[in-house]
Amino acid sequence: MLANETNDIVIRDAVVHFAVSGGTVKAVDHVSVTFPSGQITGLIGESGCGKSVLGLSILGLLPSYAKVSGDIFYRGRNLAKASVKELRALRGREIGLIPQNPADSLNPVRRIGSQLDEALMLVDQNAKSCRQKAHKLLESFGFDEPDRILRSYPFALSGGMQQRVLCAIGISCSPRWVLADEPTKGLDQALREQVYETLSTVKQQGVDGMLVITHDLTLTKKLCDCVSVMYGGEILEMGKDVLDTPLHPYTRAFVSSLPENGLNPMAGAPPAPGDIFTGCKFAPRCSQCGDRCRVERPDAYRHGERMVRCFLYA
């Protein structure tokens, strides 16, 4: 079976550029990666590195002014070439999305019940059955009074409660894949634990795979089987045990900067929008940078079961 006929999400040479005054922002810069089915992949990196843009490109949810090229294969289809109608049919039922910003994702003038029912009715036209499923979904995300939540408008809920509602909507149609964009954003520790458990349960209930885009490294360690690390629109490292045994100089510096590892600040600053590089994008901040790193972009090298984009592993 060919890679593009499997349930994997296979991205080939994806490029996403945004035109801005004075230049172009390369949000995703020639990314080729496979997100395997049968496991949960975490996509991590600093703010602005292109994580969410890459995730949204899979579902064709980028704004019309984004310049997109490359291929995205899923179950024999090239989503990058799919029509708007085909992508709409795919969303929710095949690939569910848990977006990161409740204020932009929930309709402020519609009750939560109406919005959740709308998602559920994509696969079940029975109103009574949908309402029962809505109750169970909200309970699984820690709501003790689902009836009250279903009657509420988004403004009556806290940011954390809105985020949990988005999680429920994202998995409401039992999709094959789930793309979760910062699913624990704004939640306290107790509620984050509930989301960890719920997303773990989702995987065990027939979901082929999950892509979790997150800053929550505790979530990444607890939930994810594999980790991809993005920087400056590129994936620099991917594989298992990345956070425990980082190989790329950026990944090592990123992990070292965490509070539990001593809060060692990383030198320099990430690439600014519109920056142009002839070599490795991390070279200006890298303590192991050589002359070659400044003039040549490293390939993605195989190191055991890990992929690392660094000349140290050439």
Side-chain angles (χ1 to χ4, degrees):
M1 182 177 285
L2 297 175
N4 62 346
E5 294 176 339
T6 71
N7 291 339
D8 298 344
I9 294 177
V10 182
I11 299 175
R12 293 287 177 262
D13 199 30
V15 177
V16 181
H17 291 181
F18 297 95
V20 296
S21 58
T24 300
V25 174
K26 298 180 179 180
V28 175
D29 195 3
H30 296 281
V31 167
S32 294
V33 64
T34 296
F35 297 124
S37 61
Q39 65 182 37
I40 301 176
T41 300
L43 186 58
I44 66 171
E46 294 173 273
S47 296
C49 70
K51 304 187 302 297
S52 293
V53 173
L54 181 62
L56 293 176
S57 69
I58 295 171
L59 286 172
L61 289 174
L62 295 173
S64 59
Y65 53 84
K67 297 181 180 179
V68 184
S69 64
D71 299 297
I72 303 172
F73 297 107
Y74 173 68
R75 304 189 73 209
R77 291 170 286 180
N78 189 346
L79 305 187
K81 305 295 190 294
S83 67
V84 172
K85 182 179 180 180
E86 289 172 326
L87 288 171
R88 283 177 178 166
L90 181 88
R91 297 169 193 152
R93 282 174 279 196
E94 288 278 342
I95 303 178
L97 173 67
I98 301 174
Q100 68 168 281
N101 193 337
D104 292 337
S105 302
L106 292 172
N107 189 325
V109 297
R110 293 179 62 195
R111 297 180 192 272
I112 297 300
S114 172
Q115 298 183 60
L116 191 48
D117 286 345
E118 181 180 40
L120 287 164
M121 291 185 74
L122 290 173
V123 293
D124 186 350
Q125 297 298 310
N126 185 296
K128 183 178 179 180
S129 175
C130 285
R131 187 47 56 101
Q132 290 173 342
K133 291 178 181 178
H135 272 78
K136 291 181 179 179
L137 274 171
L138 292 179
E139 287 173 352
S140 73
F141 278 92
F143 289 106
D144 296 327
E145 301 178 278
D147 279 322
R148 182 178 65 82
I149 301 302
L150 291 169
R151 293 193 302 268
S152 299
Y153 290 95
F155 68 81
L157 306 181
S158 68
M161 295 169 76
Q162 291 180 25
Q163 187 63 44
R164 283 185 282 157
V165 167
L166 283 183
C167 288
I169 292 174
I171 67 170
S172 60
C173 295
S174 301
R176 293 176 181 268
W177 268 84
V178 172
L179 272 60
D181 193 358
E182 298 286 2
T184 59
K185 185 177 181 180
L187 304 186
D188 61 28
Q189 183 59 41
L191 294 178
R192 286 202 301 270
E193 291 289 344
Q194 291 179 3
V195 174
Y196 302 160
E197 294 174 5
T198 302
L199 291 179
S200 295
T201 303
V202 169
K203 179 188 176 184
Q204 298 166 9
Q205 293 178 342
V207 172
D208 287 334
M210 294 176 63
L211 177 62
V212 181
I213 301 166
T214 184
H215 287 92
D216 186 344
L217 296 190
T218 300
L219 170 66
T220 306
K221 289 182 178 181
K222 288 189 175 185
L223 185 67
C224 299
D225 306 298
C226 177
V227 174
S228 295
V229 182
M230 282 197 78
Y231 182 82
E234 300 176 336
I235 292 182
L236 300 187
E237 184 169 357
M238 182 174 183
K240 299 181 183 297
D241 304 317
V242 166
L243 297 180
D244 294 323
T245 57
L247 298 179
H248 195 283
Y250 169 69
T251 313
R252 291 202 295 265
F254 184 67
V255 171
S256 179
S257 68
L258 300 175
E260 60 265 34
N261 295 325
L263 203 62
N264 302 300
M266 196 183 310
D275 280 355
I276 298 175
F277 291 84
T278 55
C280 173
K281 293 185 179 182
F282 188 59
R285 307 175 73 183
C286 183
S287 61
Q288 296 175 273
C289 175
D291 292 339
R292 185 183 183 187
C293 305
R294 296 185 178 90
V295 297
E296 185 179 343
R297 184 189 188 216
D299 291 326
Y301 300 105
R302 180 64 59 180
H303 185 79
E305 296 184 355
R306 196 84 58 86
M307 182 285 287
V308 192
R309 188 178 293 280
C310 178
F311 289 124
L312 293 175
Y313 304 94

